Amino acid sequence: MRSLHADLLLQRLQLTTGGQLRLRVCQCLRTAIADGSIPPGSRLPATRDLARELGVSRNTVLYAYEQLQAEGYLQAKTGSGTSVAEILPDSYLMATTGQPGRPHRYVEEMELSRRGSKLMGYANASPHQWGAFVPGVPDVREFPHALFSSIQRRINRDPLHHHLTYSHQGGSYELQQELVEYLRVTRSVQCEVDQILITEGTHQGIDLIAKMLCDPGDRVWFEEPGYWGARNILRINGADILPVRVDQHGMVPLAGGKGPPPKLIFVTPSHQYPLGAVMSLPRRKQLLALAREQGSWIIEDDYDSEFRFAGNPIPALQGLEPDAPVIYLGTFSKTLYPALRIGYMVLPKPLAAAMKLACAELYRGGHFLIQTALAQFMREGHYNAHIRRMRLLYGRRRAYLVSLITRYLGPEFLHAYDHDAGLHLVLVLPKGCDDVKIAAHALRRGVSVRPLSQYFMHRQSMRGLLLGFACVEESAMLPAFNVLRESLIRAGLCPAEPHPANVLSSG
C-alpha cells in the first residue's frame, strides 16, 4: 500500500511533462511543501520506500531530498529520518504565492443562488451557544456521560452488521420501540413503531416535511411570533408563509383569514415558542377540525414539554383524536444535549412509508450505534431519571431568575403568557424600544440574550428579551443579571439604583 505522500507526488508527476525525472520529482515535492499539501514538521518516507512507491530509482529520490535539504525545505536527523522544516524559505513562498492577500478571481466573482442569498438574508443562528443567558440550551455538563459511554462501549464491542450500514427503516428499531412506549406514557401520543422516523434533529424533520408535502407557493400558517429556524427552512423550500397571531390560548386559527387553505400549520401547542402560552383544549379542537376540513397537516413541535415545573403535564395534540392530521416532532436536544443530533417524528400512517423512503433517499441516515445506545439508556430507566433530576435543577434556576427579575425590575417585566415551563423566560420591554440594540450591548459585556422582535415575521410593537436559565449556575446568575440590568439602565428602561450585589444568596 502506498503512503499518502507517494499518492500525492504520483498525481502531480502525471501533470508535469518534459525535463529530467529527478528534477520533476524535486519540483513536485517542493511545490507540495510550499502550498501546504505536505505541512511543516511532516515526516517523509525513507528514500528507499518512496522510490519503490513511485516506481523510480532510489538515486532520483535521494537527489530530491538532498536538493530540498540544501534549499531549507527539508531537515534530516540521525535516527529520526527526513522531515519538512518547521520554517520554510521565505524567498520561494514570496515567488509562488504572488500578491499577498489578493483573492482569486473566482472568489471575487462568487455569487450565491437566489435561494442561497435569501437564506443568508434571514439567517439568525448565533455563534454563542453557551452561558448566561443563552435560551434553549440545557446544562450539558449534567448529562451522565460516563454511564452513557459505558453503554456505547458495550454495544461497540460486538456491533451487529445492520448497525453499521445505511438506514432504510427510519432509524434504529430499538429506539423506535422505546419511543412508542415513552411517548404513550408521558405525552399521550398514540402510534406504532412503523410511524416513528428518527431524524438528525427537528430542522431535518421540517426540511423533509416541506420537501415532501409542499410545492413552491403552497400556503403555510406559522405562529407569530414563532421559531425563526423552522420558518427559514420552510421559506427556503418555497413555502408561502402566513404569520398567524398568538394569544394566551395559542395560535388563533381565525386569524388565518379567508385566503387559500394552508398545506401545513406549524404550532408549538404545549409551550408556545417563544411566548410560553399553552394552547387551550377548545383551541386545539378548533385547529384539528380546521385541518381536517381544509386538508391540512399540522406540524406539532413538542420541543421542551418534559420541563414543566408546576401544574399537570400537557398532553400532545397528536393523541387528542384518533388518526389526527398531525405530524409530531420531538427532540433529545433539550433533554440530553444538542450535539447528539437525534430527533424524531411521529407520522400519520398514510405518510409513514413515503417519508421514510424519502429520508433514506435524501439524507442516507445512519448513526445506528448511538441510537441503539440511546435506546438502551432509555430501557434501563436512565433517561427518565435524568429528566427528573434536570427538572428539579432547572426549576430552581428558573425560580431564582424570576426572583431577580421581580425584585430588581418588577413583576411587570415577566410576560403574562408564561406557564412555569421550558428553558427560557421572556423579559417584557416597553413598546418602541430597540431590543436588538440592548441585546448587542449586553453581548459586548459577555451576556447573550435574544431580542424578541427577531421572532416576528412582521416587525411588531412587542419588544423583549429571551433569557435562558438552564445552562447558567445560580452562582453565576446574579453577576450576569447585573450586566443585563446595566444595559437596561443605559437604555433608560429601569431605574439606576445601586447594584444588589451580595443581597441575594445564590441558593
Side-chain angles (χ1 to χ4, degrees), residues 414-419 428:
L414 291 169
H415 199 281
Y417 295 176
D418 184 75
H419 277 75
V428 180

Side-chain angles (χ1 to χ4, degrees), residues 310-333:
N312 296 322
I314 308 297
L317 180 64
Q318 189 270 1
L320 196 59
E321 296 179 359
D323 300 319
V326 176
I327 302 171
Y328 178 91
L329 302 181
T331 178
F332 291 99
S333 293

Side-chain angles (χ1 to χ4, degrees), residues 465-488:
L465 300 172
L466 269 68
L467 277 63
F469 52 80
C471 65
V472 191
E473 294 179 345
E474 291 160 80
S475 59
M477 204 171 283
L478 180 57
F481 181 80
N482 281 334
V483 170
L484 178 60
R485 184 168 172 269
E486 287 176 6
S487 298
L488 298 176

Side-chain angles (χ1 to χ4, degrees), residues 12 21 101 127 172 253 285 324 327 345 425 465-466 468 490 493:
R12 298 199 175 194
L21 180 59
S172 160
K285 290 185 175 181
I327 302 171
M345 306 165 64
L425 294 170
L465 300 172
L466 269 68
R490 184 175 180 271
L493 301 179

